[in-house]
Amino acid sequence: MKSGNKGVACTLKGCNIISSSREFSPEYVLRSETFTADFYVCRESLFFFADISYEGEAMVVVNVVILVIAFAALIKGADVFVEGSSALARLFRISGVVIGLTVVAMGTSMPELAVSVSAAVQGSSEIALSNVVGSNIFNLLGVLGLCAVIKALPVDSVILKRDFSVSAVSTAAVFAVSSAAGLFSKRFFNLDMGAVSATVSRLSGIILVAAFIVYIVYLIFDARKHPCEETGGIKHSLWKCLLLITIGLVLIITGGKAVVYSARNIARFFGMSETLIGLTIVAVGTSLPELVTSVVAAGKGEVALAAGNILGSNIFNLLFILGFSAIIHPVSVNTASVYDMFILIAVTVMTWIFSLSGRKITRAEGWIMLMCYAVSTVFAVLR
């Protein structure tokens, strides 16, 4: 630092200060852990300009705060969206089964939609894909596993035959369009984890979205053939339903953008790949609505809702979210994501087998699923 009668100019790492004054005073000391030294600000200063670039720990803290607030907005937004959508469905006397597999499932998957679409728009296709795959793995192993640990989880025969089948076929279809080309290339096993090995094209995205629409239409027609009476549920007027849906969507979209922004910054600081961040932090964070909904449902004995919510969310993630993201911007698939798709297929088959044995997931099987999720997470971190 240099001083003189007319002013002072100092430059520190991360901070450029220009000050004009007549004297210094030790009283005015600005201290920061992010700076390498203390410096004095002149008393009676009339002009003080600072260009501070937040680096190091300060940057991480700011982005973690943003991430926490964004997740809170996602969860609250999903909750409000589901409440408004469910009330709207009841207002028009739509079957509760359809509500659980469509409205609730899609509502709790809105965070994944917001994050993946925002990532696609920003060109971060690694997050768009790894978020979907990571969320599905967490839904099956983490959420269903925890629900089963709390209370043995019976699986409805209709859900077991129809929705588990659709989930398995959807997983296989996404693997085919996202990983098959890269896997069967001669150079696949010589590629680094971050190397791009395949791409989900816009055409593939259109096919996935079309398949999801066919599934939803089938659910609606099937529900009309087997109607059931509605019991209970929150009832709102039409205008309040629309207001809740609007507020929920605003919170979800805003939170989704903030999650992508903060997660990318944190990933860069720690030298982590966007695939790893999307597979772990973002995937678990955006799956919190499914976790809360399913755990509460299992605790209240609404086991059909718990299983239906998870399977419906996974189908929505695979077909609509990934498909829509690819339509916006072709999704690049790196080597790590191909391995993650293998894990998702294995997890889907394992969960299906557990459900078929006695048509329920036992507490012991729930613990096995939770341990498998821990192992898969460790593998994602260490690879």
Side-chain angles (χ1 to χ4, degrees):
M1 178 182 292
K2 298 178 181 179
S3 62
N5 294 331
K6 294 185 179 180
V8 60
C10 67
T11 301
L12 294 176
K13 182 180 179 181
C15 183
N16 299 317
I17 308 294
I18 299 176
S19 177
S20 176
S21 184
R22 290 176 295 180
E23 61 176 299
F24 293 104
S25 172
E27 304 171 21
Y28 296 85
V29 180
L30 176 60
R31 299 177 184 273
S32 174
E33 294 180 358
T34 60
F35 297 144
T36 57
D38 297 333
F39 57 90
Y40 299 97
V41 179
C42 309
R43 183 192 293 176
E44 300 177 13
S45 176
L46 297 177
F47 302 96
F48 183 77
F49 304 93
D51 178 18
I52 301 176
S53 59
Y54 293 95
E55 298 176 351
E57 293 83 355
M59 184 277 289
V60 176
V61 171
V62 169
N63 282 282
V64 167
V65 171
I66 293 174
L67 194 65
V68 171
I69 295 174
F71 278 147
L74 283 170
I75 295 169
K76 185 60 180 178
D79 180 58
V80 173
F81 177 84
V82 169
E83 180 183 342
S85 300
S86 299
L88 184 65
R90 292 189 185 94
L91 188 64
F92 288 96
R93 297 181 180 179
I94 298 175
S95 170
V97 175
V98 176
I99 292 175
L101 286 169
T102 57
V103 177
V104 176
M106 288 187 286
T108 55
S109 287
M110 280 294 137
E112 285 94 331
L113 176 63
V115 169
S116 292
V117 170
S118 297
V121 170
Q122 297 176 33
S124 300
S125 56
E126 290 183 9
I127 287 183
L129 177 60
S130 59
N131 175 47
V132 166
V133 177
S135 293
N136 282 19
I137 293 173
F138 180 73
N139 284 346
L140 291 172
L141 294 181
V143 179
L144 281 185
L146 183 58
C147 289
V149 167
I150 294 173
K151 186 176 183 179
L153 192 65
V155 181
D156 183 84
S157 58
V158 175
I159 291 177
L160 188 60
K161 294 177 181 178
R162 180 188 63 197
D163 302 297
F164 250 120
S165 300
V166 173
S167 178
V169 171
S170 299
T171 304
V174 169
F175 176 78
V177 301
S178 67
S179 308
L183 180 63
F184 294 111
S185 66
K186 296 180 180 179
R187 61 188 183 91
F188 175 78
F189 293 101
N190 296 323
L191 296 174
D192 294 331
M193 284 293 182
V196 175
S197 59
T199 302
V200 181
S201 64
R202 284 191 171 92
L203 177 59
S204 297
I206 292 172
I207 294 173
L208 293 176
V209 172
F212 177 75
I213 294 173
V214 170
Y215 170 69
I216 293 299
V217 171
Y218 171 78
L219 281 181
I220 294 174
F221 277 98
D222 186 62
R224 291 182 63 182
K225 290 181 180 179
H226 306 89
C228 60
E229 295 182 1
E230 291 294 332
T231 57
I234 300 174
K235 295 182 179 180
H236 295 306
S237 61
L238 178 59
W239 71 267
K240 189 171 182 179
C241 292
L242 297 176
L243 178 62
L244 290 173
I245 291 172
T246 302
I247 293 174
L249 285 175
V250 170
L251 288 174
I252 288 167
I253 293 172
T254 304
K257 290 183 177 180
V259 165
V260 173
Y261 170 80
S262 56
R264 290 176 66 183
N265 288 339
I266 294 172
R268 291 193 186 101
F269 177 80
F270 287 105
M272 299 167 65
S273 68
E274 291 186 349
T275 299
L276 178 58
I277 287 291
L279 189 67
T280 54
I281 298 174
V282 178
V284 173
T286 54
S287 290
L288 289 178
E290 285 94 335
L291 176 63
V292 173
T293 301
S294 296
V295 168
V296 171
K300 293 182 178 181
E302 298 290 342
V303 291
L305 175 60
N309 175 40
I310 293 306
L311 290 175
S313 296
N314 279 16
I315 294 168
F316 182 70
N317 290 347
L318 288 168
L319 298 182
F320 186 83
I321 294 180
L322 181 58
F324 191 63
S325 299
I327 292 173
I328 293 174
H329 188 283
V331 176
S332 298
V333 182
N334 58 26
T335 307
S337 293
V338 176
Y339 285 106
D340 295 333
M341 283 300 307
F342 264 125
I343 293 174
L344 179 57
I345 290 174
V347 166
T348 301
V349 173
M350 182 184 72
T351 307
W352 200 357
I353 291 174
F354 284 168
S355 301
L356 286 170
S357 59
R359 292 189 176 180
K360 67 178 180 180
I361 302 176
T362 65
R363 283 192 172 94
E365 291 168 341
W367 281 113
I368 293 173
M369 293 164 74
L370 290 178
M371 287 188 289
C372 287
Y373 180 72
V375 171
S376 70
T377 302
V378 171
F379 169 72
V381 173
L382 296 180
R383 67 188 177 193

